[in-house]
């Protein structure tokens, strides 16, 4: 069983920065694709950023140039550095990990951490 625990969310003013962390337990983490999703009120859960086990990254257009995803396999921890935050970044952010296609059935999810950006 894999458990993912996010931390680092909070309230920040527009233009500020936050760093989210996701600590993983279980042996899947180093072999998995991992990523961050976010969901705001009355919207679907959207992919923000993905990093593969080989270290390749991809980002949603809305966060390119502002967010950076990284992972430390030795610490079983995933990170999301968020800079130049905007009010529209306000959402619950979820960490995800999968041995296959991230977001597909079988994906492991964290409980989420709230990020609120004030204008």
């Amino acid at each position: 069983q894999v458990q993912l625990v996010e931390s680092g969310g909070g309230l920040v003013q527009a233009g500020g920065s936050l760093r989210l962390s996701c600590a993983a337990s279980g042996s899947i983490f180093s072999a998995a694709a991992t990523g961050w999703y976010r969901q705001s009120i009355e919207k679907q859960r959207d992919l923000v950023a993905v990093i593969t086990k080989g270290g390749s990254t991809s980002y949603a257009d809305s966060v390119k140039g502002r967010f950076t995803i990284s992972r430390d396999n030795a610490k079983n921890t995933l990170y999301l550095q968020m800079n130049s935050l905007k009010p529209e970044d306000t959402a619950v952010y979820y960490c995800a990990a999968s041995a296959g296609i991230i977001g597909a059935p079988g994906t492991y999810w964290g409980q989420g951490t709230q990020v609120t950006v004030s204008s």
Side-chain angles (χ1 to χ4, degrees), residues 19-68:
R19 189 194 195 201
L20 304 183
S21 298
C22 173
S25 64
S27 61
I28 192 175
F29 191 77
S30 62
T34 50
W36 291 93
Y37 284 72
R38 67 186 181 186
Q39 186 171 18
S40 51
I41 295 174
E42 298 182 351
K43 292 187 178 180
Q44 65 182 19
R45 189 174 296 188
D46 292 325
L47 182 63
V48 175
V50 174
I51 184 167
T52 68
K53 60 183 179 181
S56 297
T57 59
S58 62
Y59 298 90
D61 288 343
S62 58
V63 306
K64 282 181 181 177
R66 300 188 298 121
F67 290 11
T68 303

Side-chain angles (χ1 to χ4, degrees), residues 58-103:
S58 62
Y59 298 90
D61 288 343
S62 58
V63 306
K64 282 181 181 177
R66 300 188 298 121
F67 290 11
T68 303
I69 188 171
S70 61
R71 57 191 277 174
D72 186 334
N73 288 340
K75 295 182 178 180
N76 273 359
T77 303
L78 179 69
Y79 302 100
L80 185 68
Q81 178 66 43
M82 305 186 294
N83 299 328
S84 302
L85 282 161
K86 304 175 181 180
E88 51 263 44
D89 295 318
T90 295
V92 178
Y93 284 71
Y94 297 89
C95 170
S98 173
I101 299 173
I102 197 164

